[in-house]
Amino acid sequence: MIIPSIDLKNGNAVQLVGGKELKVDAGDPRPICKKFSLVGEIAVVDLDAALGQGNNKDTIKDLLKIADCRVGGGIRDIDTALDWLNAGATKIVIGTAATPDFLSKLPKERLVAALDAVNGEVVVNGWTTKTGRTVGDMIQELKPYVSGFLVTFVEREGRMGGVDISHIKQLKDLVGRDHELTIAGGVTTTQDLAEVDKLGVYAQVGMALYTNTLDLGDAFSAPLITDRPDGLYPTVVVDELGTSLGLVYSSLESIRESVKTGKGVYYSRSRNELWRKGDTSGNGQTLIRMELDCDRDALRFVVHQHGVGFCHLNRRSCFDCPDKGIGHLMRTLEARKANVVPGSYTQRLFNDPALLASKIIEEAHELVEAKTHEEVANEAADVLYFALVACVKAGVSFSDVERVLDQRSLRVSRRPGNAKPAYTVPAPSSTPATTSASSSKDVPSSSSTTTTPTPSPVAPAIVSPRRTLEPAAGHAPIKLGLPKGHMEKNIFKLLADAGIDLKVSARGYRPTISIPGFEVKLLKPQNIVEMLNLGSRDLGFTGSDLIAELGATDVTMLLDTHNDPIKVVAAAPDHLFDKEGVFVGLEKLHGSRKLVVASEYTHLTKAWMQKRGYTQDNAHYVHSRGATEVFPPEDADIIVDNSATGSTLSANRLKIIDEIFVSSTCLYAHSHLMEEGDPVRKQAIEKFVTLLKSVIDAHQRAILEFNIPESRLQELCRTLPAMRQPTISPLHDAHSLDQWFGVKIAVQKSVLFDLIPIIKAGGGEGIIVYDLKHVTL
């Protein structure tokens, strides 16, 4: 079986002859890694580290995110070895440092001893130092400490001179069946690969692939055998979760085409030609990887299935089984994201980050409290649903999640895994120990490895224990927080339009309010978020962007006032965009320095940076404290800031890269009050919300009145919008030959521009429009 090799020097994939002469510089190794991953595990060798001339750590970490990689080159101390194991390397390859003492301190099953040999003598330090020891001697000495050996024939390396099968057989006999043997150097043809595979030996191949002497698809197929007269190979096709989609047949040509195109390509026995899945049905496949079975007479293709499904009967699978489980759920969520379904709860979650964050935390809490088998199953299902909504919203597939879990399972260093103080809650009374409210996130072999939560649009920054609201004698006043600053004017107007009188002294922060049982305080919008989350305020008006930014989890949105709408956007100077309007700031820096991103929105910005692929390796975050728009171009390349009209951005010659969040001023309540609090206080709050909502609905509507003759009435009224039906009253006119009627309708103000000409053309006269005070639907 082939193991493609990526040898790194100065960040590029290269091939050397004899470890010295540069023969091929293939450039960026990432697309190469993506292609090589189709055929299985990849060997990554850090030549710079091996020669003591620097390292390619950052590049290798990128490759580990793309494919399963064994990593070698310059690993000569325990800390470096552990770093690579913890970073997700499937195995590490130890050369110069491969001694019993060194190897005994590391997990045997993850170790490969590299024995680089020139004419049978082992050499170290990047092939520059002879040891005087034979490969056979080293194998016998190191077998108790490793799971396998990589033997490189240095005199053949990069020269494509073929392999010595008899010598390889001798080495395999020395290694034995319980240890893996991989050879490198000289592998050139598919025959070389087939003969090596028959011995149960892996072949690490580089030069032949990079020079196109050996096709990757042909190299993968080399070990295949068949007893079929048509020379085809049975191929089981499965999706990312391992669910069988169908049984097809492959030829050497179809395998080669699959690797070339990265798609599912098979051989049609009925048409006697290549079958490119999806060319006629539109239900194509993206190839993830190919696998050989143990007897080398069958294949398994792992694919991402597009469209309706694999079967010609427009089913997900050719096998008679329903589409269900996590895979079905993910596909449903993805469909909801792609196509708006009216009334869809999933769609609502996509559009309301605060609601999604609240539900995730709520369901996790309920899972912690679940006791019976049924309760745990139900609550775990709820957590999975909301977590997967968050994944799909961010463009994360379940395969992406599985890959993170797989990589975490490879860690060998463990942290205690204790909960952060903000998440720690008392354990049940029957248990003396304490537990964590975030324990529902634990996964086998991975929970203790996470040092910080992944940034998200709603960061868990100020999560706090729920606060029990104890009514005083009678009923405690409802503590309302009003925003001081730019939101203040519109909120005060909303309250005034609702008939609520506020009196504020010149320098006072505690207005009096005309509603009995309410107590008011003026606070900055950011502080209102914090006070609501803690429960020291029962109600408060603040921006939904601040709820998301500050990570308030113990609040419930009661009403969107639609006041002060803003968008949180990422923007940059116009010279950092190409002719098509695509931001190319990182490319224009050419690695000269890190991209600088400035913002007051720490969590929203860092979540956006992560989504864009801006990491601490290529970007730096700067927290601004106002006037963020003045940072570019001298002090920042990108800003993340709120924008109402875009005029400030334009004035500073900034163009929008992404729209990150849409916000307006909303009324929020402390969640516990609405769920379990005093019913009398809760009813008072609901009345308050109903009153405000009637004003907001009235602001969006107008009364439109006009007169029309009876002969035109029915025709026009059929097209008129109204809350229910138009109000129609006969007009008194003793001298008119045609009876006239007065028509009154309540309509959205947004339709007036188009509606008034329609009424006029339909025979309406004396058209009057006036505002409403309250509307209760």
Side-chain angles (χ1 to χ4, degrees):
M1 188 65 185
I2 184 174
I3 298 179
S5 178
I6 297 179
D7 299 351
L8 296 172
K9 192 168 183 61
N10 297 323
N12 284 355
V14 302
Q15 285 293 290
L16 307 180
V17 176
K20 298 177 181 178
E21 178 190 349
L22 178 64
K23 178 76 173 180
V24 176
D25 186 335
D28 187 355
R30 293 164 187 84
I32 298 170
C33 182
K34 182 68 175 175
K35 183 175 182 179
F36 284 175
S37 71
L38 297 176
V39 302
E41 189 180 24
I42 300 168
V44 177
V45 183
D46 190 337
L47 295 177
D48 291 323
L51 295 170
Q53 299 172 357
N55 63 68
N56 294 274
K57 279 186 177 181
D58 291 343
T59 302
I60 297 174
K61 286 179 180 178
D62 285 347
L63 302 185
L64 289 173
K65 296 175 184 176
I66 298 171
D68 293 337
C69 302
R70 54 178 65 181
V71 176
I75 303 176
R76 295 173 184 145
D77 60 78
I78 296 297
D79 287 342
T80 302
L82 291 174
D83 284 346
W84 285 124
L85 291 173
N86 290 329
T90 54
K91 295 175 182 176
I92 55 173
V93 183
I94 309 296
T96 302
T99 63
D101 179 63
F102 183 90
L103 298 173
S104 65
K105 298 172 183 175
L106 297 166
K108 174 181 177 179
E109 68 276 7
R110 304 273 297 283
L111 296 182
V112 174
L115 304 177
D116 304 333
V118 177
N119 299 317
E121 182 182 0
V122 175
V123 292
V124 294
N125 296 320
W127 304 349
T128 61
T129 305
K130 295 182 178 181
T131 64
R133 305 197 59 187
T134 68
V135 172
D137 292 340
M138 296 294 290
I139 287 174
Q140 294 297 341
E141 180 180 349
L142 301 179
K143 273 178 71 173
Y145 307 99
V146 297
S147 64
F149 293 89
L150 167 63
V151 178
T152 300
F153 308 118
V154 176
E155 69 274 12
R156 296 175 181 268
E157 179 68 13
R159 294 185 170 90
M160 297 189 293
V163 296
D164 184 342
I165 291 297
S166 61
H167 186 200
I168 294 171
K169 185 178 184 306
Q170 291 173 3
L171 292 176
K172 181 57 181 173
D173 290 341
L174 280 173
V175 169
R177 297 184 62 179
D178 294 335
H179 288 69
E180 174 191 291
L181 175 62
T182 303
I183 60 98
V187 178
T188 307
T189 66
T190 55
Q191 183 178 353
D192 290 339
L193 288 167
E195 291 182 2
V196 168
D197 187 77
K198 287 178 184 178
L199 298 175
V201 176
Y202 291 88
Q204 187 166 310
V205 183
M207 186 69 77
L209 293 174
Y210 287 89
T211 58
N212 295 318
T213 303
L214 186 61
D215 179 83
L216 182 61
D218 291 342
F220 170 81
S221 307
L224 280 170
I225 58 175
T226 181
D227 56 5
R228 292 177 56 88
D230 57 13
L232 300 178
Y233 309 99
T235 303
V236 177
V237 183
V238 303
D239 65 15
E240 302 97 316
L241 298 178
T243 303
S244 296
L245 301 177
L247 175 66
V248 296
Y249 289 85
S250 297
S251 66
L252 295 178
E253 182 185 7
S254 72
I255 295 170
R256 190 181 307 122
E257 189 69 10
S258 290
V259 173
K260 179 181 176 181
T261 62
K263 298 180 179 180
V265 182
Y266 312 104
Y267 194 85
S268 171
R269 292 172 297 161
S270 60
R271 298 194 301 268
N272 289 320
E273 64 182 12
L274 289 186
W275 168 29
R276 293 175 173 83
K277 178 64 181 159
D279 273 5
T280 55
S281 67
N283 301 325
Q285 296 173 339
T286 299
L287 181 61
I288 296 174
R289 65 179 178 278
M290 305 182 299
E291 300 165 348
L292 299 177
D293 82 329
C294 58
D295 293 324
R296 303 305 197 239
D297 59 1
L299 295 163
R300 187 170 89 145
F301 271 43
V302 181
V303 302
H304 176 72
Q305 178 67 52
H306 301 282
V308 176
F310 181 79
C311 183
H312 71 288
L313 299 177
N314 282 334
R315 299 188 311 201
R316 176 76 181 169
S317 170
C318 288
F319 297 100
D320 192 12
C321 57
D323 188 13
K324 57 184 181 179
I326 286 179
H328 175 61
L329 174 58
M330 285 294 288
R331 288 185 286 277
T332 301
L333 297 178
E334 288 163 355
R336 292 289 185 271
K337 183 181 180 183
N339 303 293
V340 176
V341 177
S344 166
Y345 182 64
T346 300
Q347 197 75 44
R348 181 184 170 197
L349 292 171
F350 284 148
N351 296 330
D352 191 339
L355 174 63
L356 178 57
S358 298
K359 292 302 295 183
I360 290 173
I361 294 168
E362 173 190 328
E363 299 302 340
H365 181 75
E366 290 178 358
L367 177 59
V368 171
E369 293 183 335
K371 298 294 186 295
T372 68
H373 179 279
E374 183 178 3
E375 287 173 348
V376 171
N378 285 331
E379 300 306 335
D382 288 342
V383 171
L384 278 173
Y385 164 71
F386 289 105
L388 293 180
V389 170
C391 288
V392 172
K393 185 176 186 291
V396 175
S397 71
F398 198 74
S399 297
D400 296 331
V401 177
E402 286 187 315
R403 179 151 191 84
V404 171
L405 293 174
D406 289 340
Q407 286 198 313
R408 288 180 178 176
S409 72
L410 294 173
R411 292 183 65 92
V412 294
S413 300
R414 300 296 182 198
R415 293 175 181 268
N418 298 325
K420 291 185 176 181
Y423 292 89
T424 304
V425 298
S429 57
S430 59
T431 307
T434 58
T435 187
S436 165
S438 62
S439 60
S440 59
K441 299 178 182 177
D442 290 348
V443 292
S445 303
S446 66
S447 62
S448 60
T449 66
T450 304
T451 57
T452 57
T454 301
S456 65
V458 185
I462 54 171
V463 177
S464 62
R466 292 185 178 271
R467 181 172 179 239
T468 303
L469 298 174
E470 297 276 343
H475 301 285
I478 295 167
K479 290 170 284 186
L480 172 65
L482 297 182
K484 188 164 182 61
H486 72 278
M487 298 180 189
E488 182 177 351
K489 178 180 177 182
N490 285 328
I491 292 301
F492 273 53
K493 183 179 185 303
L494 173 62
L495 294 172
D497 288 347
I500 299 171
D501 185 32
L502 283 169
K503 289 186 171 61
V504 188
S505 62
R507 302 183 67 176
Y509 287 85
R510 298 179 184 274
T512 59
I513 189 168
S514 60
I515 307 176
F518 278 66
E519 179 183 288
V520 183
K521 190 174 186 179
L522 288 173
L523 295 163
K524 287 186 176 181
Q526 296 91 331
N527 295 135
I528 289 176
V529 175
E530 295 166 331
M531 297 306 101
L532 283 171
N533 200 66
L534 291 169
S536 63
R537 290 282 114 187
D538 303 319
L539 289 177
F541 292 91
T542 189
S544 54
D545 58 322
L546 299 177
I547 294 286
E549 168 63 12
L550 296 174
T553 58
D554 228 354
V555 299
T556 300
M557 190 181 82
L558 302 180
L559 182 68
D560 188 349
T561 70
H562 303 290
N563 286 338
D564 303 299
I566 57 118
K567 295 178 181 178
V568 179
V569 300
D574 50 18
H575 72 271
L576 295 180
F577 291 76
D578 63 18
K579 293 179 180 179
E580 286 71 38
V582 177
F583 178 72
V584 290
L586 197 60
E587 293 84 345
K588 286 196 173 186
L589 292 177
H590 302 297
S592 61
R593 62 171 176 81
K594 293 181 179 181
L595 201 70
V596 178
V597 184
S599 180
E600 293 183 80
Y601 292 95
T602 299
H603 293 296
L604 290 176
T605 300
K606 288 186 176 180
W608 174 80
M609 290 173 66
Q610 184 185 50
K611 185 177 179 180
R612 291 277 300 197
Y614 299 150
T615 68
Q616 61 183 3
D617 298 322
N618 60 15
H620 179 72
Y621 171 76
V622 174
H623 183 72
S624 66
R625 290 167 175 81
T628 309
E629 67 274 8
V630 304
F631 275 66
E634 301 90 350
D635 302 307
D637 304 297
I638 299 174
I639 65 166
V640 173
D641 204 2
N642 59 56
S643 175
T645 64
S647 58
T648 302
L649 296 177
S650 298
N652 288 277
R653 301 184 65 184
L654 300 173
K655 291 176 63 175
I656 293 176
I657 303 170
D658 278 328
E659 182 180 297
I660 298 173
F661 198 93
V662 177
S663 176
S664 58
T665 305
C666 300
L667 176 65
Y668 291 88
H670 181 59
S671 295
H672 185 75
L673 173 64
M674 301 309 296
E675 295 167 3
E676 303 170 25
D678 182 348
V680 174
R681 300 174 76 223
K682 181 178 178 182
Q683 186 179 38
I685 290 172
E686 289 170 348
K687 289 180 179 179
F688 180 66
V689 171
T690 300
L691 179 61
L692 296 184
K693 190 174 187 306
S694 72
V695 175
I696 293 168
D697 289 336
H699 286 170
Q700 296 171 350
R701 288 176 167 81
I703 290 292
L704 188 151
E705 291 189 17
F706 61 91
N707 300 328
I708 188 168
E710 185 177 21
S711 59
R712 309 289 296 274
L713 176 64
Q714 294 302 323
E715 179 183 357
L716 180 60
C717 284
R718 278 195 293 267
T719 65
L720 290 179
M723 291 174 65
R724 287 190 180 273
Q725 296 292 332
T727 300
I728 301 174
S729 305
L731 300 181
H732 177 68
D733 188 351
H735 304 289
S736 175
L737 298 176
D738 195 357
Q739 176 67 53
W740 282 70
F741 290 82
V743 179
K744 180 187 291 186
I745 55 177
V747 297
Q748 294 281 345
K749 289 181 178 177
S750 59
V751 306
L752 289 174
F753 181 84
D754 295 320
L755 184 58
I756 290 175
I758 292 173
I759 294 173
K760 186 70 176 174
E765 297 178 6
I767 301 170
I768 300 172
V769 178
Y770 52 89
D771 288 335
L772 294 163
K773 290 291 186 182
H774 295 266
V775 173
T776 302
L777 301 176

